[in-house]
Amino acid sequence: MYNFKKIEKKWQDYWDNNESFKAITGSEKKPYYILVEFPYPSGSGLHVGHVRSYTAQDALARMKRREGYNVLYPMGWDAFGAPAEQYAIKNHIHPKDAVKENIKTFKGQMKKLGFSFDWSREFSTTDPEYYKWTQWQFLQFYKHGMAYKATVPVNWCPNCKTVLSNEDAAGGVCERCGTSVIQKEKSQWMLKMSAYAEDLLKGLDDTNFKERVKLGQINWIGKSTGVELDVNIVGGGKFSIFTTCIETVYGITFFVIAPDGKLIKELMPRVENKDEVNAYIEETSKKSSMDRTELNKGKTGVEVKGIKAINPINGKEVPIFLGDFVLGDYGTGAVMAVPSHDQRDFEYAKEHNLEMLEVISGGDTTAKAFEKNEYLGKGCKLINSEEFTGMTVEEAKEAITNKLEKEGIARRVNNYKMRDWIFSRQRFWGEPIPMIYCEKCGWVPMEEKDLPLLLPDVAEYEPTDTGESPLAKIESFVNTTCPKCGCPAKRETDTMPNWAGSSWYFLRFMDPHNEKEFASMDAMKYWNRVDWYNGGMEHTARHLLYARFWVQMLYNFDLVPKKEMIWTRVSHGMVLGDNNEKMSKSKGNVINPDDIVNDYGADTLRVYEMFMGDYEQDAPWNTDSLKGCKRFIDRVIRLKEKVTDSEEYSKDLEVIINKSIKKVSYDLTHMAYNTAVSTLMILVNAYDEKETITKADYRVLLDLLNPIAPHITEELNESLGYSPICDRKWPTYDEEKTIDNEIDIAVQVNGKVRDTIRIKKDSSKEELEELALSSDIIQKWITGKEIVKIITVPNRIVNIVIR
RNA sequence: GCCUGAGUGGCGGAAUAGGUAGACGCACAGGACUUAAAAUCCUGCGAGAUUUAACCCUCGUGUCGGUUCAAGUCCGACCUCAGGCACCA
């Protein structure tokens, strides 16, 4: 039992006092920027899941430094947001104080784990010195027309009288009181993210994100290519629809328009069944945010009577319906319905007894629609489509589009699922939006010199019962003068979403104390980009997309040097409870890292979390396995008794040492931490079998283990009389010496392994075959059989094919 | 429904380019040391058949097919689990 408490404290102090991990902007060394998602400092403290990713990136950072890089491995706090506000309301303390407390806890925990963060760069998104720049950047967005106000529906709990996030309104009921959530129109700040859809797609080519991360982004953006088509209304007027299947245009038997769209409002004067239509619109508005699978089993809707539309391709008159499966804010808010070839249209037609018309042959449309994923690329031909009848779907797609385009009633367009970013929150604990409303001048941005716009220091931060932000109640905050005309005016009282501060924090780490800019161009040019960004899978879609959007805007305003500032993005698996379920207090399966550090030491916890499994996969906690890692460290310590004075590798360990250096170096840079640990265990097993090992043998083991278990390795290294590992070069290996002189080769007969032979490496085919055939066991198998052929792969295998 | 990831011993998981499946660790069992326990060390440990024993043999990486001298790995179809998105025309 070694005194890990004393040793770990000693080295943590040493690193602190020597500023061992300080990153110097502008250093001659090559920069390398390693980033882990900064945590939300919750009241429950650091999670063992944090320890997993921070240790992994820490190991990479420690190794990269020793390879001669100027490593930036920073840490900070993402501390705005609802949980801190909620916690503060519950415990009657100011969120600011709660956050301060929590940060202290988190930081203390991180220090005890020995992470090599450059603490001199620490900041919190809630620091006025930081959010000043978040606000400043918002002003730039506004000035470039990227921020605007719009009326959008929000989730509203009529009982709690509060606005709810989508998460808090899951299932259509308020998470706190269980009341049904309704939709309420509210004027909100928006960022024009949809304008960047194409750029955000293209930008992925300039990143090294994991393929699944890229796919997540592509999916979220949701591009679809199709045709926008103008449709005339009988008796005047027209509207447009969007379709990706223009080849089915002859199959239109009706149109469906969105109950929440603009079109129905325009048509209203001509509607004959206004009451029915209005009732349906009303009904939809109530359920639009509710759990759709529950409420929208069938395809509800009503006919818009008195108005008919004309199919532009053949002049056929068809009815128009209202249906809530058509969304007001996607495409044009209206669709052409081809029940034979679209499942939703099919269901709607069945529900409302509408006509169906098949226009693509080769399918059966009695029970369900014959859809594009079934007919595309199969050579299916059009029917019932005038001059296009007989063409393949692919030919018809082009031909029909061309014809309609020539007539000037259709355009090729792209649509994106990604909407503009709703940027307002009716909360206290967020960055105030630096906008002022003046009766005369309208919305006026604050003067940049007046930033930061501070959150007022008050005792009241509970939400108002009108759905306004708590800030709305604070008159000293609200009342101001217009920066333009000087008249009395009111401040915006909404705050920014939690995502705001985390959309650019990685830039601030490059130059965290800059008072003149959010980060200097020089500093950003020096650090170049985030080389390696690690975070949770749950953030690879939204957070990463927001951050990229934010950076792309800054780039377009000449405020950052690159359009994509993040190069590699990886994500880690969760640490689950020992019952294989997500850790949660209610399940009673939470492991507190403090307890583990106390009982086993930080090094053991670090080794265990690296060893527990595939880094990108979830892994359950297992205390027995943790004990095994403690045993491993104890064995490393005990090896010291065998160390001789020699400064050279033992001859018979040379190969395994070189192999280990190669493997560990590779693994630590390829997220294969678990096999890095197992490699070191194998090395220790080899050392254990010997009576004595040399000082050099031992030293290289400590070198390789150091990134994962930094404290004990420094201590043992010091006891050998060496200077600290953190200041010395990463060991190198000799490729020549990574392969044994003699290797075992499997000999197969008809693909089944029957024997192994020991032979010098790089032996020729002939030598291999000769030795293989001379084996008694092999002879037993092949005697009396005809040898068809022998396949020999040097250094790998011999396979004798017999008949 | 769609997208993504994953299915390998009792468990966590290995297997750079298709080439000895189960590395490494845990758990378990037996043994050594000890008055005893802990710690430590040694041995065994996918299933089955056979055998005094050893070797050897058969089967085995979610299922079913295929390609290949050779498949956990490649191809096709499917099943299960986890995560994300969900009426996006």
Side-chain angles (χ1 to χ4, degrees), chain A residues 455-514:
Chain A
L455 274 170
D457 238 339
V458 291
E460 286 271 331
Y461 37 76
E462 310 205 4
T464 64
D465 50 15
T466 57
E468 295 304 306
S469 151
L471 289 174
K473 284 191 295 193
I474 302 164
E475 296 201 353
S476 58
F477 176 84
V478 175
N479 295 318
T480 182
T481 52
C482 173
K484 222 176 187 176
C485 70
C487 296
K490 289 191 186 305
R491 287 192 196 283
E492 170 61 65
T493 57
D494 283 355
T495 54
M496 298 188 198
N498 197 205
W499 306 101
S502 59
S503 288
W504 71 281
Y505 73 111
F506 43 91
L507 302 175
R508 186 66 176 172
F509 278 138
M510 293 176 173
D511 192 10
H513 308 299
N514 197 325

Side-chain angles (χ1 to χ4, degrees), chain A residues 170 399 438 496 553 620 803:
Chain A
C438 167
M496 298 188 198
M553 283 195 290
R803 188 150 45 198

Side-chain angles (χ1 to χ4, degrees), chain A residues 126 362 390 559 660 691 734:
Chain A
T126 55
L559 294 168
S660 299
E691 282 297 306
D734 183 350

Side-chain angles (χ1 to χ4, degrees), chain A residues 548-563:
Chain A
R548 291 181 54 230
F549 167 54
W550 198 285
V551 166
Q552 287 203 356
M553 283 195 290
L554 294 178
Y555 176 80
N556 287 341
F557 313 153
D558 294 321
L559 294 168
V560 293
K562 286 174 117 78
K563 202 165 182 177

Side-chain angles (χ1 to χ4, degrees), chain A residues 682-779:
Chain A
I682 293 167
L683 187 63
V684 166
N685 287 346
Y687 284 8
D688 244 350
E689 278 173 22
K690 301 212 5 149
E691 282 297 306
T692 62
I693 54 169
T694 69
K695 224 171 152 181
D697 298 336
Y698 196 52
R699 175 178 145 139
V700 75
L701 167 66
L702 301 177
D703 269 330
L704 295 175
L705 180 57
N706 174 263
I708 297 172
H711 311 88
I712 187 63
T713 47
E714 285 288 11
E715 182 68 17
L716 293 168
N717 174 71
E718 187 186 57
S719 72
L720 291 185
Y722 294 122
S723 61
I725 298 176
C726 63
D727 298 327
R728 96 180 165 224
K729 280 242 159 303
W730 184 252
T732 54
Y733 62 93
D734 183 350
E735 184 66 46
E736 285 285 294
K737 290 180 180 159
T738 59
I739 302 159
D740 293 283
N741 282 324
E742 287 209 314
I743 49 178
D744 288 318
I745 302 280
V747 182
Q748 300 181 331
V749 176
N750 281 355
K752 286 193 164 43
V753 178
R754 297 302 180 189
D755 197 11
T756 58
I757 51 175
R758 197 162 180 79
I759 193 164
K760 273 179 85 130
K761 73 168 172 179
D762 297 331
S763 295
S764 69
K765 279 191 174 196
E766 291 71 28
E767 288 172 289
L768 277 163
E769 281 169 25
E770 196 190 321
L771 190 62
L773 289 170
S774 70
S775 148
D776 291 345
I777 298 167
I778 296 302
Q779 275 305 321

